[in-house]
Amino acid sequence: MKHVIVDPNTKEVADVVLEQSGIMGRDVVVPIGAVNKAGRESVELALDKEQARALPDFILTKYETPPPDLVSAYPWATGALIAQGMAPVGAAAGLESIAFAPIVDTTEQIPPGDVDLSPGTEVWATDGKIGSIRDVIVDEETRRIRGFVVEKGFLLHTDTEVSLDQVAQIAKDRVTLKDSKADLHPVS
């Protein structure tokens, strides 16, 4: 699983993002109801091949082409060659060099109010950062988060399992715990 999409209020998993294998593999959004079983190395879906192929792509950054009237909206661009999907910068914008930059619209396919808990999400104790999420532990029956495995350290990593009872808040950019660093113990 590349991402776990969670409702921070109920702590329920809404969707997971999986990487499909193969040469043309892609990241897809899978509703949690379509997951039969999830392990550390694999995920079993309650979907046939056609249903799996029809899953929507998970794209964090989507490049948007500018509207056709972009050139006429900027008088300085009259007569300038504007490449499709590119906004004028440099000389076309009155600067010294000529270049074009794509117009980027960042779109997250995460329902409003839900959060993406993916490996690397920061975890903070009451007295500072302790590490980042390595794994999300989900109860297979209730589909709720049971906790996290937090990876601590730069070169010599240690793992700490954090239960949901220790979590004060799940936010977009980090998980905040109720406990201090001293209250957390590495997994043996």
Side-chain angles (χ1 to χ4, degrees), residues 82-106:
I82 305 294
Q84 181 74 1
M86 307 300 250
V89 296
L95 303 174
E96 290 184 17
S97 66
I98 296 179
F100 291 93
I103 292 179
V104 178
D105 175 26
T106 303

Side-chain angles (χ1 to χ4, degrees), residues 22-178:
I23 294 172
M24 300 299 288
R26 62 193 179 103
D27 292 345
V28 293
V29 179
V30 180
I32 194 64
V35 176
N36 274 345
K37 185 177 176 183
R40 201 169 165 80
E41 300 297 323
S42 65
V43 176
E44 180 184 305
L45 301 179
L47 304 173
D48 61 31
K49 283 186 178 184
E50 288 306 311
Q51 291 170 318
R53 279 192 204 112
L55 290 169
D57 289 340
F58 183 77
I59 303 169
L60 283 176
T61 304
K62 179 175 77 177
Y63 295 92
E64 292 289 332
T65 312
D69 59 345
L70 175 70
V71 174
S72 62
Y74 298 97
W76 45 260
T78 305
L81 177 63
I82 305 294
Q84 181 74 1
M86 307 300 250
V89 296
L95 303 174
E96 290 184 17
S97 66
I98 296 179
F100 291 93
I103 292 179
V104 178
D105 175 26
T106 303
T107 304
E108 292 192 13
Q109 295 174 319
I110 301 169
D114 286 359
V115 250
D116 173 7
L117 293 177
S118 55
T121 300
E122 292 183 351
V123 179
W124 287 68
T126 56
D127 53 350
K129 182 179 173 183
I130 60 164
S132 58
I133 291 177
R134 194 192 71 186
D135 288 317
V136 177
I137 304 166
V138 178
D139 184 300
E140 289 186 28
E141 289 180 27
T142 65
R143 312 262 190 212
R144 291 184 58 148
I145 297 174
R146 280 196 356 236
F148 311 97
V149 175
V150 179
E151 185 175 71
K152 298 181 348 182
F154 183 66
L155 294 175
L156 301 172
H157 299 289
T158 58
D159 291 339
T160 301
E161 193 169 306
V162 176
S163 74
L164 193 58
D165 295 336
Q166 294 172 283
V167 174
Q169 181 184 24
I170 298 175
K172 182 177 181 175
D173 59 343
R174 72 177 176 183
V175 173
T176 306
L177 305 179
K178 299 174 190 173

